[in-house]
């Protein structure tokens, strides 16, 4: 037992054939994980993984002039990335990690964890963006056409290396019990890219029938990045009494970043130091009920894109704090479990000041107030014989505060619903042990398509999913899990999301009715 060795193997091979047209792909994965207990005090854990996924991506739809198109008029299976020259996006990754845990005494141990990741990406897309015919560069044309670009950034290589060393243990100070962790995390990230294509090739249309030529010339710069982080951290879980606990944390970060374009211009280098605390507490009010509260800070660090239109291109903006506060109650009973919480999250917001679609040195990237999310969230689950019933709901008030732009101040961020609701019911059939059936309802309210006041909105939506699973145990100890389901049972048409990216409105339709069937073998 002192030299016990364990090994786990995960393997997956998938053919991806979604309802979306022109989006077939494939994926494979192989992962090995093992642990070796050299002695009662020493444990070594290791893992390696390799994976590859190749699949065309899906561009979004958009506003048509000043109106939100009716989702019932759009076939959600249309993929605007359907040109004859379109190629799949390819993600290939390798990962390895090694962890050593050494017991130092009955109450203390040292942990050293090192990991490395190597990612290679071929990012390729027939990319719709704006309407030059109507001088609108944040939406499509009124007639359903759009400007189409041949975008390619191939052989992107990203490397991440990290090592985390800590000492963890317990000690007593008077009548207070402490669980301490002190450590340092050192990480490095490198992005090594080549030139990219972003070339206008003609006009596309939202019916997916237009055909254009291609232009894969790599005439635009990319940006290579080298980032080093060193984090010193301290965590302390304090047992103040049998019913009251306190958690304290402090992290000091030293950040170093360097970037340069692939043509060797617009070099940027900067350093930033910041300290972020967090605090949490809990009170076991009843044997099954706990009141808790938490508060913490984070840091948002942003650099201006190295593009000619920015007067401050390539510069680092001052690091700004984000904050999160939450107060809630959790009840874990034998028949009913429920929780409720109130929260506030604030993050710095950034905006382009000036005309960034115009001439060089014509605008600036700057911080501009905060995006503040205040909300209430509740969830409940209960068992009634063979039935399991549950649901969750959230009310969210998201606003932009402190903006210098009157059009943004007090407005809602883009793509954030004010209300969400999820209900589910599952039933275990006594006549066939191992068979579970379920039905789920998901609903979300409307969303802004642009940040700020007066924005157009996509309507709210709701959908129903149903399914079943069968857990089959074979005579030899093997196990098969069969799953079948139908997503979007009523084949509802709606705009599901409205991400605002690159100062452009995008609309993504809800997936059409989709049938799913799978089997998992545990050998």
């Amino acid at each position: 037992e002192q030299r016990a060795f364990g090994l786990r193997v995960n393997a997956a091979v998938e053919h991806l054939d979604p309802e979306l047209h022109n989006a077939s792909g494939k994926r494979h994965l192989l992962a090995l994980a093992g642990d070796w207990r050299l002695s009662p005090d020493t444990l070594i854990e290791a893992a390696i993984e390799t994976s590859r996924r190749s699949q065309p991506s899906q561009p979004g739809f958009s506003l048509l002039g000043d109106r939100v198109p009716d989702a019932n008029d759009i076939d959600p299976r249309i993929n605007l990335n359907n040109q004859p020259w379109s190629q799949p996006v390819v993600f290939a990754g390798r990962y390895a990690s090694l962890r050593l845990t050494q017991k130092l005494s009955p109450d203390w141990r040292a942990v050293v964890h090192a990991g490395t990741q190597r990612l290679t990406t071929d990012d390729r897309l027939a990319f719709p963006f704006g309407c030059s015919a109507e001088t609108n560069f944040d939406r499509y044309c009124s007639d359903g056409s759009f400007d189409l670009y041949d975008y390619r950034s191939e052989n992107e290589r990203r490397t991440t290396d990290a090592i985390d060393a800590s000492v963890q243990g317990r000690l007593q100070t008077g009548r207070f019990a402490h669980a301490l962790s002190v450590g340092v995390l050192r990480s490095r990230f490198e992005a090594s890219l080549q030139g990219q294509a972003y070339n206008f090739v003609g006009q596309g249309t939202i019916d997916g029938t237009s055909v254009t030529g291609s232009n894969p010339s790599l005439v635009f710069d990319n940006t290579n990045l080298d980032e080093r982080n060193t984090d010193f951290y301290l965590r302390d879980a304090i047992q103040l009494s049998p019913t009251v606990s306190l958690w304290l944390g402090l992290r000091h970060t030293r950040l170093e970043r360097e970037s340069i374009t692939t043509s060797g211009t617009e070099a940027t280098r900067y350093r930033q130091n910041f300290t972020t605390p967090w605090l949490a507490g809990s009170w076991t009010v009843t044997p099954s009920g706990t009141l808790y509260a938490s508060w913490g800070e984070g840091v948002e660090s942003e650099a201006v894109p190295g593009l000619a239109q920015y007067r401050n291109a390539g510069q680092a903006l001052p690091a700004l704090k984000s904050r999160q506060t939450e107060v809630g109650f959790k009840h874990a009973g034998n028949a009913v479990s429920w929780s409720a919480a109130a929260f506030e999250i604030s993050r710095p917001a950034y905006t382009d000041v000036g005309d960034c679609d115009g001439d060089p040195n014509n605008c600036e990237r700057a911080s501009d107030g905060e995006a503040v999310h205040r909300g209430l969230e509740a969830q409940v689950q209960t068992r009634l014989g063979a039935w399991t019933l549950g649901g969750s709901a959230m009310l969210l008030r998201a606003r932009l505060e402190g903006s210098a732009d009157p059009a943004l101040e007090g407005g809602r961020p883009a793509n954030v619903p004010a209300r969400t609701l999820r209900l589910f019911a599952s039933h275990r059939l006594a006549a066939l042990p191992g068979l579970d059936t379920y039905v789920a309802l998901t609903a979300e309210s409307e969303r802004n398509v642009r940040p700020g006041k007066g924005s157009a909105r996509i309507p709210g939506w709701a959908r129903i999913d149903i399914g079943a699973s069968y857990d089959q145990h074979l005579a030899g100890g093997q196990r098969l899990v069969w799953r079948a389901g139908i997503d979007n049972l009523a084949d509802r048409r709606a705009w599901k999301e409205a991400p605002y990216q690159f100062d452009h409105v995008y609309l993504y339709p809800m997936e059409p009715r989709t049938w799913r069937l799978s089997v998992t073998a545990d050998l």
Side-chain angles (χ1 to χ4, degrees):
E1 288 294 324
Q2 292 185 0
R3 292 182 178 270
F5 181 78
L7 180 66
R8 183 178 70 250
V9 180
N10 290 331
V13 177
E14 297 179 71
H15 172 70
L16 308 171
D17 193 13
E19 289 291 324
L20 183 70
H21 297 326
N22 310 104
S24 297
K26 52 189 177 182
R27 171 182 175 265
H28 69 252
L29 175 144
L30 177 63
L32 304 175
D35 59 81
W36 185 16
R37 186 165 291 281
L38 294 174
S39 73
D41 297 334
T42 306
L43 175 66
I44 296 177
E45 300 167 277
I48 58 173
E49 178 183 304
T50 180
S51 64
R52 188 179 188 273
R53 178 173 182 148
S54 174
Q55 187 177 23
S57 60
Q58 177 189 10
F61 293 84
S62 187
L63 298 177
L64 301 184
D66 293 329
R67 68 182 179 91
V68 176
D70 189 335
N72 290 299
D73 297 334
I74 302 293
D75 183 352
R77 298 170 179 82
I78 291 176
N79 188 351
L80 301 181
N81 181 26
N82 64 345
Q83 295 297 318
W85 44 266
S86 296
Q87 297 185 53
V89 175
V90 179
F91 295 96
R94 293 168 292 160
Y95 171 78
S97 72
L98 183 67
R99 184 200 304 265
L100 170 65
T101 303
Q102 178 65 48
K103 188 176 181 181
L104 304 177
S105 72
D107 294 324
W108 290 87
R109 62 179 182 173
V111 180
V112 179
H113 187 195
T116 183
Q117 183 183 59
R118 303 289 187 268
L119 299 177
T120 303
T121 306
D122 293 328
D123 192 1
R124 302 176 286 214
L125 179 68
F127 185 32
F129 189 91
C131 172
S132 57
E134 298 176 359
T135 63
N136 282 327
F137 298 98
D138 64 346
R139 64 195 68 189
Y140 297 166
C141 301
S142 304
D143 63 358
S145 63
F146 49 77
D147 296 347
L148 189 66
Y149 295 80
D150 185 345
Y151 173 76
R152 309 187 193 210
S153 180
E154 300 181 334
N155 198 32
E156 298 179 349
R157 298 182 180 273
R158 295 175 174 87
T159 301
T160 303
D161 299 308
I163 183 167
D164 185 357
S166 65
V167 177
Q168 307 166 12
R170 298 182 177 274
L171 59 84
Q172 194 81 20
T173 59
R175 57 191 182 90
F176 298 148
H178 299 258
L180 283 169
S181 179
V182 181
V184 58
L185 170 63
R186 175 69 174 176
S187 63
R188 180 175 183 178
F189 171 78
E190 291 182 287
S192 178
L193 312 178
Q194 62 180 18
Q196 60 182 334
Y198 181 62
N199 303 312
F200 177 76
V201 291
Q203 299 293 323
T205 52
I206 60 171
D207 60 6
T209 61
S210 58
V211 176
T212 72
S214 64
N215 184 356
S217 302
L218 306 179
V219 296
F220 291 90
D221 278 351
N222 246 320
T223 301
N224 293 323
L225 178 65
D226 188 342
E227 178 179 314
R228 298 175 178 86
N229 285 351
T230 304
D231 292 329
F232 302 91
Y233 59 87
L234 169 67
R235 297 190 286 263
D236 188 8
I238 309 172
Q239 192 72 40
L240 300 179
S241 74
T243 59
V244 179
S245 298
L246 183 67
W247 289 267
L248 305 173
L250 191 67
R251 180 184 296 269
H252 177 74
T253 300
R254 297 178 180 175
L255 171 66
E256 303 175 61
R257 281 181 176 167
E258 299 179 30
S259 65
I260 191 169
T261 66
T262 49
S263 62
T265 62
E266 300 176 8
T268 300
R269 181 177 182 179
Y270 65 93
R271 296 182 179 181
Q272 292 175 333
N273 297 330
F274 34 81
T275 301
T276 50
W278 59 271
L279 170 68
S282 69
W283 174 28
T284 304
V285 182
T286 68
S288 57
T290 302
L291 178 68
Y292 70 91
S294 65
W295 170 88
E297 287 187 343
V299 171
E300 305 282 340
S301 180
E302 179 158 321
V304 182
L307 301 175
Q309 57 262 45
Y310 290 98
R311 287 189 291 270
N312 56 345
Q315 296 180 18
L317 299 179
L320 300 175
K321 293 288 184 72
S322 59
R323 297 175 301 277
Q324 178 171 331
T325 304
E326 183 174 340
V327 178
F329 188 86
K330 293 183 178 181
H331 173 82
N334 293 328
V336 180
S337 298
W338 62 271
S339 65
F343 61 88
E344 178 179 288
I345 303 170
S346 63
R347 298 181 59 190
Y350 298 90
T351 190
D352 290 335
V353 181
D355 182 10
C356 281
D357 292 322
D359 299 327
N361 298 315
N362 209 37
C363 72
E364 289 188 358
R365 186 71 173 168
S367 59
D368 185 37
E370 294 181 316
V372 181
H373 294 61
R374 299 182 179 95
L376 300 172
E377 186 174 16
Q379 56 185 354
V380 63
Q381 180 172 310
T382 184
R383 291 186 179 274
L384 300 173
W387 288 90
T388 299
L389 307 175
S392 64
M394 183 171 64
L395 300 176
L396 180 63
R397 185 184 187 276
R399 293 294 184 271
L400 299 168
E401 299 182 0
S403 174
D405 186 346
L408 295 177
E409 174 61 24
R412 292 169 57 176
N415 199 34
V416 178
R419 299 174 299 279
T420 61
L421 175 67
R422 291 173 173 81
L423 302 174
F424 73 89
S426 66
H427 183 258
R428 175 159 292 185
L429 276 69
L432 186 56
L435 179 62
D436 289 327
T437 61
Y438 74 87
V439 59
L441 168 70
T442 304
E444 295 188 356
S445 65
E446 75 281 358
R447 304 173 184 226
N448 271 20
V449 301
R450 289 175 56 91
K453 300 175 182 177
S455 168
R457 296 179 180 177
I458 58 172
W461 55 267
R463 83 177 201 188
I464 295 176
D465 305 327
I466 63 171
S469 66
Y470 178 57
D471 194 344
Q472 181 182 12
H473 292 268
L474 305 180
Q478 297 86 1
R479 179 187 176 207
L480 299 177
V481 180
W482 302 84
R483 294 182 177 89
I486 306 175
D487 296 339
N488 193 7
L489 178 65
D491 201 20
R492 173 73 185 275
R493 299 287 179 91
W495 297 117
K496 186 178 181 182
E497 291 188 275
Y500 186 67
Q501 297 175 306
F502 319 117
D503 292 329
H504 194 288
V505 175
Y506 288 103
L507 304 177
Y508 282 91
M510 184 182 298
E511 299 86 350
R513 182 190 295 122
T514 303
W515 297 74
R516 294 183 293 103
L517 179 64
S518 69
V519 60
T520 302
D522 187 356
L523 305 177

